[in-house]
Amino acid sequence: MDWHFANLEYGCAAPLKEVSLPYWNQDDVYGGFGGAHCMIKGGYGTVLDHLFKGIDVRLNHVITEISYEVSDLNEIDGRPKKVRVRTSAGEEFSADAVLITVPLGCLKANTIRFSPALPDWKESSIQRLGFGVLNKVVLEFPNVFWEETVDYFGATAEDSNSRGHCFMFWNVKKTVGAPVLIALVVGKAAVYGQNISSEDHINHALMVLRKLFGESSVPDPVAYVVTNWGLDPFSRGHTPLLQ
Ligand SMILES: Cc1cc2nc3c(=O)[nH]c(=O)nc-3n(C[C@H](O)[C@H](O)[C@H](O)COP(=O)(O)OP(=O)(O)OC[C@H]3O[C@@H](n4cnc5c(N)ncnc54)[C@H](O)[C@@H]3O)c2cc1C
C-alpha cells in the first residue's frame, strides 16, 4: 500500500495528509489531460526555442515590481494605459499589458511587488492554494543494468516515512540516448529531503537500486543532478494543490 500512497503523493506533489480529501482530484471531472504520457527530447526548452523565433526575449532579468498609475486608466475598458515593470538591476520596461507566468510559489512569497496591490480575491486565492514539493535524482551510469524496454520501475520502502524516497525510477535511455535513470522523491521524503545533501540523495538512490539489482550490478554514476525546487528562489515549490 505504501508504494501506492507514494504514487498518489507523486501525483499531488505533497504528503497525503496535506491534500484536500474531497477536492484532491477535482480536475478528473474535466477529463484531465488526454493522450499518452510523452517526453520531449531535449526538454521543454526546445519548444520555447521554436516559439521564441523572431521575438525579443530577455533572459536573466529578475522582476521585482509591476506597477501602473491608477490615475491613468483607459476610459473605455478601465484598464491601465501603461504598465511598468522594474528589474533587480534597476531597469524599467513599459508596456500596454503584462502577462505574469511566475510560479505560484513566487506569488505566495511576494517576490514581486504589485502597485497597486493585487485585489483581495486574487491575493487570498494565491495564499489559500498550496504549493507542494517533489524532487528528482538524475543519475547517469556507464552502462544500462536495468531492463532496457521498460519506461519505469518501482521500489518499495521498509519505513512508511520514507516510502516516497526513490520509490520510482524512470528509464530515459530512449529519450536522452544515454544510460540515465531519474528517481522520484515525493511526499514526506521530499519535504525532509530539501535539507539533506545531494550526496545523501544519490547514496539513497544507489542503495535502493543495489537492493533491487544486486550490489555488484550497479556501478557508481558518472554524472548526476539533484533538484531542489522548493529552495529555488525562482520556483519555491513544484505543483499547486488544494489543501
Ligand atoms: C520536478 C518537476 C517535474 C515536472 N514534471 C512534469 C511532467 O512530467 N510533465 C509536465 O507536463 N510537466 C511537468 N512539470 C511541470 C512543468 O515543468 C511545468 O508545468 C512548466 O514548466 C510550467 O511552465 P511555466 O512557464 O508555468 O512555469 P516555469 O517553467 O516554472 O517558468 C516560470 C519562470 O518564471 C521565472 N521567474 C520566477 N520569478 C521571476 C521573477 N521575479 N522575475 C523573472 N522571472 C521569474 C522562473 O525563473 C521561470 O523561468 C514538472 C515540474 C517540475 C518542477
Side-chain angles (χ1 to χ4, degrees), residues 86-180:
R86 285 193 194 86
T87 72
S88 58
E91 286 171 285
E92 192 172 297
F93 299 89
S94 174
D96 294 342
V98 171
L99 281 178
I100 302 156
T101 63
V102 299
L104 178 63
C106 298
L107 293 175
K108 286 173 85 66
N110 296 310
T111 57
I112 298 175
R113 198 172 88 84
F114 292 96
S115 175
L118 293 176
D120 285 348
W121 65 267
K122 196 172 277 185
E123 184 57 35
S124 70
S125 301
I126 289 169
Q127 294 310 334
R128 270 187 292 124
L129 278 168
F131 202 52
V133 195
L134 182 161
N135 278 303
K136 289 175 178 167
V137 180
V138 186
L139 300 166
E140 180 178 351
F141 291 97
N143 56 283
V144 172
F145 55 83
W146 55 92
E147 171 58 62
E148 206 170 323
T149 55
V150 299
D151 289 326
Y152 60 89
F153 53 87
T156 52
E158 278 153 31
D159 171 16
S160 293
N161 283 321
S162 58
R163 66 188 177 203
H165 206 178
C166 305
F167 82 105
M168 191 192 285
F169 290 81
W170 292 348
N171 166 24
V172 291
K173 167 87 175 21
K174 269 189 281 183
T175 328
V176 304
V180 175

Side-chain angles (χ1 to χ4, degrees), residues 44 61-63 101-103 106 112 136 229 234 238:
Y44 272 137
H61 284 61
V62 179
I63 309 305
T101 63
V102 299
C106 298
I112 298 175
K136 289 175 178 167
W229 296 110
F234 299 111
H238 176 273

Side-chain angles (χ1 to χ4, degrees), residues 35-39:
H37 286 271
C38 344
M39 256 184 197

Side-chain angles (χ1 to χ4, degrees), residues 131-138 183 185 189-199 201 224-239:
F131 202 52
V133 195
L134 182 161
N135 278 303
K136 289 175 178 167
V137 180
V138 186
V185 183
V191 177
Y192 300 130
Q194 296 179 105
N195 301 316
I196 68 173
S197 67
S198 296
E199 285 70 27
H201 279 295
Y224 66 82
V225 175
V226 181
T227 66
N228 201 340
W229 296 110
L231 299 189
D232 183 322
F234 299 111
S235 300
R236 295 174 186 261
H238 176 273
T239 301

